[in-house]
Every structure is written in C-alpha cells, then in structure tokens.
Amino acid sequence: MVKMLRDTVRKLFDEKKVDMVIGWGEGTLPLSATPVFIENADEADTLIWDERCSNNLAVYLTKDKRHLVKSGKKIGIVVKGCDSRSLVLYAVENQIKRENLVVIGVTCDGVIDIKKVMKRTEGKEVLDLRIGDKDITVGGRGFETVVAKKEIISDFCLHCAHPDAPVHDLFIGQPRPANEKADVYKIVDDFEKLSADERWNSMVESYSKCVRCYACRNVCPSCYCNECFVDQNDPQWIGKSPEITDTLIFHMGRNMHVAGRCVECGACERACPADIDLLLLNKKIAKEISERFNYEAGLDIDEKPALASYCENEKQDFIMG
Amino acid sequence: MIKIEKSKFSVFIQNLVGDFTVFAPVGEGRQSAFDEVADAESVNTALQNTVQSPKSIFFPQTEVLFTYNDGDVQIPEAADKPFFLWGVRACDARSIMLVDKVFGRAKQRPDDPAFEDPYWKAKLDTAVILTLACNEPASTCFCHWTGDGPFEQAGDLWAVDVGSSYLIESLTEKGKAVLERIENASPAGKTEAAEIDSLRTQAESYLGDLVDLSELKDRMKQMWDDPAWDDIAAKCVNCGACAYACPTCHCFDVQDEGKKGKGKRIRLWDACMFPLFTKEASGHNPRGQAADRVRQRFLHKFSYYWDNYGESLCTGCGRCIYVCPVNLDIRTVVKRFLDIDAAV
C-alpha cells in the first residue's frame, strides 16, 4: 500500500500534475507520524501511510497556511475519509478551488490514540512498534505487548461511517462504501439521561484539565477564522485564564461554531496535551445536526451547509420554546 | 548521605506534611503533574517524569497580583507554609534555576537593573527541592545536550532510587535541616556509592548521541532570514502545547478582571506561538506570520537567553517533543541548524 502511494505520487510529479504533495512521513517517536510537504518525485519515498497518520492534513490549506492555496499551486493531498470531508467542506465554503487539488484517498481502518496505548502499557514508554493486520505489537524496556487494533484506535474512528474518502481523484486500494454504525450517539443519549447537576459536574471534571493551549482548535480544519473569538481583545469576549467558566465558553463556543461543519476526524482529541475527552460534545452537536437537518458535513460539494440553508420542513420547535 | 527504606517513605512524607506544602508527581499519562499531596500513597513513583512541568508551582498559570476595590489595593498574602518538592528530575530542577535568573535574581550582567519578582521569590526562597536521579531517561530526553545529566545533583536534596530504598544527600543548608528530621535512617557507605555509579552508567546509556550546542547561538542568528525557518514552520500549527508543557517558557500576559472599580489584576501564561502575544494596539503585529513566531520560540531558547545569561533556555526534558500534535521535534530543528543530517 505504501509502495502504491509512493509510486502514485512519483507519477503525479513526473506527469507535472502537482507542484506539491502533502502527506505523512516517519516521525521521531515510535507512535508518531509527521506531516511532510514534498515538492519533487525523489521525495515521494518519504511518504508513509499507516495507523499513526493521525493528523488531518486539510488544516494546512487554511489559517496561517493559506498562502499555499493562494499561490495557485496544484496541491496533492493524501487523505483519510475524514480529511477528504474537510476538503469538501472547504470547497463548499469557498476556501479552496477543488480543481487545484489532487485528492489521494487511502484505505483507513482508524488511527492510533496514543493515550489508549499508554493505558495498555501502564504508562511505560513505547520504544518499538510493529503494525500487523489485526493488531499492533508495542515494546519497551522489559516488556512487549500485543494489542488488537480496535482497542487502541481513536474513539472517533470507532464511530466513523466514512473511513474511505467519499470524494477523491485517486485512490490507493479499493474504496469501501459508507458503513452504518450502530449506537453512534449512545454516549450522547446516556449523557442526556443524567440530571443537570450530573451533566454540569461531568463537564467541569473533564474540562478543568484544559490548559488553554488551543491545540484542539489549531489542528481543527473546521476552525479557520482569521481571528478566533478567544484571540480578540477589543472587545475581549472571554477571560484568558483557565477558569472553568471561561474554558467551557471556549470549548462550547468552538463546538457551536463547527456545528454542521465538524467532520468528526478527532484530531482535536488526539492533539490535546491534557487528554481531555472531546468526543462527547462533538457527538452531541453531530446528533443535533443529524436529527434536525438530516445532514452530515463534508459529503457533497453541491449541498448547502446545514446552517446556511433553510427548508420548510425543518424542526421549528425551538421557536415555540 | 543517608538511606531510608521505601517502607518508611510514607513516614518521611507524613513528617513533612505538617510544616510544608508537599508537591510530588501524581496522575498518569498526559495528566501527570506535580500536585499537592497529603500522603505518600498519592505519589506516582513509577513515572519517568510528569508531562506537566513543575514550573506552575512557582509560576502558576494564573496568579492574582493584587485585588482592588474602590481604590483600596490588597496584595494576596504569601502561602503560610513553605513548599517541599519531592521527586523533581535534574532537568526540571535546573529549569527552575534558569527561570530564576529572569524572575529571581536578574542581575546577571553589570548593566542589568536589579529586579526581583516578589511573587516568584516568596515561593522559591523558602522552598526545599528534592531532586530524584533519573534511573530511566525517556527516549525524548536530551539533557546531556544542554549540559545536564540524569544524575546531576541539583536542588537542596538529591536522592537516588536504589530499589528497596532511597539514598538521600543534602546539598544546601535548607536540605540539611530537612534531612535531620528523618528518623530511622541509616548512613550510606561504599556499597551504596557503587550502586549509584552503576545506576548512573545504565541511565546514561539510555541517552542518544551527544550534540554540541556551543555554535547554535550564532548559527541561528546568522540564519535569521534563512528559508529553513519556513520549512520548519510549515508543519507547526501554532498552538501553545509546547510552551505550556515547557518548564522554562515563562512569558506571561497581565489582565485586569473586574468591573466598576472592583476586581483583580492577574498574571497568566502566554506563549509566543499566539498571534495576540505580540499584536500591538495599532493592529500591527511584528510577528504576523507563523514562521516568525516559530523562529522566536527557538531563538529565545537557544540565542537570546544565551546572550543574556550565558546558557540555553532548554534543559532537554523532551516534554515539547511528547506533546507536539504534529511531531515537530526540537532535536531535529537543532540538528538542522548545526548541519547534522536531519530532515525536519
């Protein structure tokens, strides 16, 4: 698969169909891949694709990296299902010209969540990793453990219905159709059954760990405002210190702002240096959007976003309270 | 140097809790941090190091400088008990001393105006820091590059975990006073010294190749306009995960929180990665591009601080490598500027 990917990219350069390809390369830690930006055929061999490739690379087309898109360069980008949905979102929101991208899909069975691996090794550092078909073997000083992949892939991936890029120009392997996942909103349903106090306490417990480094926001492809509301200081919308009320306003504000735009890639949760569970609120918003508007972000370039269109048969119960 | 059995560790902590606020490594994974403990059972003794650094003990993420109410200004009272830190690694003990050059005793150069930050000093001057030798450095550790080592002696007390017991040595008068409180300790002798040597050799063998940083300061400055910075910054997403995990990053913001003449002035962590950090009142931002901010972070660590204080502002703890969401590895950046084969 990796060889096919490299051959494909090499060919794209040889045929002058791309000026740059954004993909993943080998990282410096056993469990990490790292984004790479390659500009010629020779560099194609630095590309890798496996369960460590957890970043959503679409993020490199907006925000501080917008100059890449503005340069008019023809950009190839290697994508998982979720990443390709971010590109669709960008096209729908007029952030990119679809024809300037060469979207290279790869078969995805989910990416590793490092905190789950660390739980399995009981905190011991992983120095060696071997990826098999169904499981991975992690080793360190004085231990080696075999873990089934499904036990260490991100919770977001466990809930993923579109693992293979629904929109692509090239595909490495054979893309599979969307799958129906049962119980995708079970954690939300369970949460909604709690009392208001219990929900509040759970939120406080979870989000009080936040250090406000904004890694979640900065790795999120859907968060690309020129200036985020938390960075504005005239007027200043929220306090900058990690007081729980301000922190919750940041997170909930972010969730609301990506409502109907979140592709549920889970990059936010995997980036969090404090291991905060960010899945729940993402799923809550996804559930609302799905139930109210029967909409999933990033699947159809010609469909208007849920919150930027209106249908007469939409639920209107919120108006009557 | 004395020896205390690990079975007496809880007595040791208990003995201190009355007179000190005791901080020690607690928690697991990326939530591991130095936190206040009431007993030895809460201490996580299995960690290589905490992911959150101990800098927050002396330089909290948010600190109230004073409160005000209709012209009446109150400065918060200092903590009633001195701090005792158990189990700080050598890199972190040194990081506290590096930040202390800025906040605590800034008169490093004759032309420096003397300035002492009262909030920092009140906490640090009375604190007792016990450094625990690092028997098993992580693969992200590179303290030997920055002039340190897993068994370097630092702080007020220095301890080594030799399996069934801790060997503890006092390095300062403050440390000595704590050591004298310990009952049931036996003196350590030649056998223990040999044990320490063997553990030190093993620990050092876990570290990677040594890189000499002496030319880095000038190299980075000479390459101020080099396109290498754009390459390095390409993958950076400009979050503050590295700066907030870093034990030596000490930039801060000051904010007033309140209304109608009543409120508080707080000092809080800030980071050079954030655009707002340097945005001026006019709207102009001298570090408007992501690459400008990435360059600032590395130049502050390896060049500007070096100019002011004669060493780098990095202790090789490796936290930034561990928390970076895009695996932008500080070691790779350093190697690139020293022309050591490394792809960024």
Side-chain angles (χ1 to χ4, degrees), chain A residues 158-197:
Chain A
L158 292 174
H159 289 108
C160 175
H162 309 279
D164 292 347
V167 173
H168 57 260
D169 298 309
L170 299 163
F171 202 92
I172 311 299
Q174 195 58 44
R176 297 156 297 181
N179 53 39
E180 289 295 323
K181 290 268 177 181
D183 295 338
V184 283
Y185 298 123
K186 186 174 183 304
I187 55 164
V188 182
D189 298 338
D190 290 348
F191 187 72
E192 285 170 347
K193 283 178 199 143
L194 301 175
S195 70
D197 279 349

Side-chain angles (χ1 to χ4, degrees), chain A residues 26-30 32-35 37 55 59-60 64-65 67 113-115 118 123 125-127 141 209-215 217-219 227 230-233 236 239-243 246 269-276, chain B residues 28-31 48 51-52 61-62 136-140 206-207 231 233-241 244 253 255 257 264 266 268-270 274-276 279 288-290 293 321-329 331-332 344:
Chain A
E26 199 64 53
T28 60
L29 304 177
S32 302
T34 191
F37 304 81
N55 297 99
V59 79
Y60 292 111
D64 278 323
K65 321 293 180 190
H67 55 87
D113 183 341
I114 293 177
K115 68 173 178 290
M118 294 308 280
E125 190 186 19
V126 174
L127 299 173
R141 279 179 209 123
K209 299 164 204 155
C210 177
V211 294
R212 299 281 285 277
C213 70
Y214 304 124
R217 176 195 67 182
N218 288 23
V219 297
E227 192 175 48
V230 304
D231 287 336
Q232 292 178 330
N233 60 357
Q236 182 169 319
K240 287 182 72 185
S241 58
E243 294 288 331
D246 289 318
E269 187 173 279
R270 294 189 295 277
C272 177
D275 278 351
I276 300 173
Chain B
E28 284 170 6
R30 290 196 270 201
Q31 282 171 16
Q48 285 169 303
V51 173
Q52 314 289 333
Q61 184 161 8
T62 308
E136 202 181 318
S139 67
T140 44
Y206 292 145
L207 296 167
D231 281 359
K235 71 173 79 164
C236 176
V237 292
N238 276 120
C239 70
Y244 284 3
D253 185 14
Q255 297 247 317
E257 287 188 351
K264 58 189 179 181
I266 57 171
L268 56 151
W269 292 358
D270 207 340
F274 301 144
L276 189 58
K279 190 174 170 188
Q289 300 302 312
R293 300 194 287 276
I321 305 168
Y322 186 69
V323 299
C324 178
V326 297
N327 186 237
L328 176 48
D329 191 321
R331 295 169 299 183
T332 319
V344 175

Side-chain angles (χ1 to χ4, degrees), chain B residues 179-258:
Chain B
L179 217 52
E180 282 166 358
R181 300 160 60 121
I182 299 177
E183 295 161 10
N184 303 322
S186 50
K190 278 186 181 165
T191 328
E192 286 80 10
E195 261 181 301
I196 292 177
D197 278 344
S198 122
L199 285 169
R200 181 202 311 264
T201 309
Q202 188 179 40
E204 286 171 356
S205 76
Y206 292 145
L207 296 167
D209 292 342
L210 179 64
V211 170
D212 177 4
L213 300 188
S214 55
E215 292 189 10
L216 188 59
K217 169 171 84 91
D218 294 328
R219 284 286 185 92
M220 278 197 174
K221 258 194 229 164
Q222 286 156 8
M223 293 171 76
W224 166 268
D225 283 334
D226 199 280
W229 290 112
D230 293 321
D231 281 359
I232 292 163
K235 71 173 79 164
C236 176
V237 292
N238 276 120
C239 70
C242 52
Y244 284 3
C246 176
T248 64
C249 272
H250 55 269
C251 289
F252 58 84
D253 185 14
V254 173
Q255 297 247 317
D256 282 359
E257 287 188 351

Side-chain angles (χ1 to χ4, degrees), chain A residues 288-300:
Chain A
E288 292 292 326
I289 295 291
S290 166
E291 287 180 355
R292 286 182 180 277
F293 308 111
N294 188 28
Y295 181 84
E296 274 185 286
L299 293 180
D300 183 354

Side-chain angles (χ1 to χ4, degrees), chain B residues 25-334:
Chain B
V26 299
E28 284 170 6
R30 290 196 270 201
Q31 282 171 16
S32 55
F34 276 80
D35 209 349
E36 198 180 329
V37 294
D39 50 51
E41 284 67 43
S42 340
V43 183
N44 185 346
T45 53
L47 291 168
Q48 285 169 303
N49 203 353
T50 56
V51 173
Q52 314 289 333
S53 90
K55 80 174 166 190
S56 57
I57 297 170
F58 303 106
F59 175 46
Q61 184 161 8
T62 308
E63 182 161 32
V64 178
L65 302 179
F66 57 80
T67 55
Y68 53 91
N69 189 358
D70 277 340
D72 176 35
V73 174
Q74 296 284 337
I75 294 172
E77 284 182 24
D80 55 346
K81 287 194 278 188
F83 296 166
F84 181 89
L85 275 63
W86 164 271
V88 175
R89 298 300 185 188
C91 52
D92 289 342
R94 187 151 163 268
S95 73
I96 294 166
M97 293 305 122
L98 292 178
V99 180
D100 190 48
K101 288 188 176 186
V102 180
F103 286 158
R105 45 191 165 92
K107 215 169 176 177
Q108 286 295 301
R109 295 184 307 183
D111 56 336
D112 258 351
F115 174 75
E116 292 179 344
D117 183 276
Y119 303 92
W120 168 271
K121 272 191 78 71
K123 292 189 271 292
L124 185 60
D125 280 357
T126 55
V128 179
I129 297 175
L130 180 144
T131 306
L132 183 60
C134 209
N135 288 354
E136 202 181 318
S139 67
T140 44
C141 291
F142 59 107
C143 58
H144 53 321
W145 295 16
T146 59
D148 219 324
F151 273 61
E152 283 293 301
Q153 293 190 327
D156 302 293
L157 292 157
W158 182 67
V160 184
D161 179 345
V162 289
S164 60
S165 52
Y166 292 110
L167 307 176
I168 309 179
E169 186 176 346
S170 64
L171 306 174
T172 65
E173 286 301 316
K174 275 195 290 184
K176 199 172 157 203
V178 167
L179 217 52
E180 282 166 358
R181 300 160 60 121
I182 299 177
E183 295 161 10
N184 303 322
S186 50
K190 278 186 181 165
T191 328
E192 286 80 10
E195 261 181 301
I196 292 177
D197 278 344
S198 122
L199 285 169
R200 181 202 311 264
T201 309
Q202 188 179 40
E204 286 171 356
S205 76
Y206 292 145
L207 296 167
D209 292 342
L210 179 64
V211 170
D212 177 4
L213 300 188
S214 55
E215 292 189 10
L216 188 59
K217 169 171 84 91
D218 294 328
R219 284 286 185 92
M220 278 197 174
K221 258 194 229 164
Q222 286 156 8
M223 293 171 76
W224 166 268
D225 283 334
D226 199 280
W229 290 112
D230 293 321
D231 281 359
I232 292 163
K235 71 173 79 164
C236 176
V237 292
N238 276 120
C239 70
C242 52
Y244 284 3
C246 176
T248 64
C249 272
H250 55 269
C251 289
F252 58 84
D253 185 14
V254 173
Q255 297 247 317
D256 282 359
E257 287 188 351
K259 54 186 175 186
K260 288 184 183 165
K262 185 182 174 187
K264 58 189 179 181
R265 176 161 297 176
I266 57 171
R267 169 163 72 184
L268 56 151
W269 292 358
D270 207 340
C272 53
M273 286 294 141
F274 301 144
L276 189 58
F277 183 63
T278 42
K279 190 174 170 188
E280 296 167 3
S282 66
H284 171 67
N285 194 339
R287 290 186 211 131
Q289 300 302 312
D292 303 335
R293 300 194 287 276
V294 172
R295 177 176 59 197
Q296 169 63 24
R297 181 170 152 77
F298 289 107
L299 279 170
H300 192 187
K301 289 261 171 277
F302 296 113
S303 199
Y304 307 143
Y305 184 91
W306 209 322
D307 282 342
N308 289 337
Y309 304 108
E311 55 190 323
S312 83
L313 185 62
C314 172
T315 61
C317 75
R319 286 187 177 87
C320 55
I321 305 168
Y322 186 69
V323 299
C324 178
V326 297
N327 186 237
L328 176 48
D329 191 321
I330 191 168
R331 295 169 299 183
T332 319
V333 175
V334 165

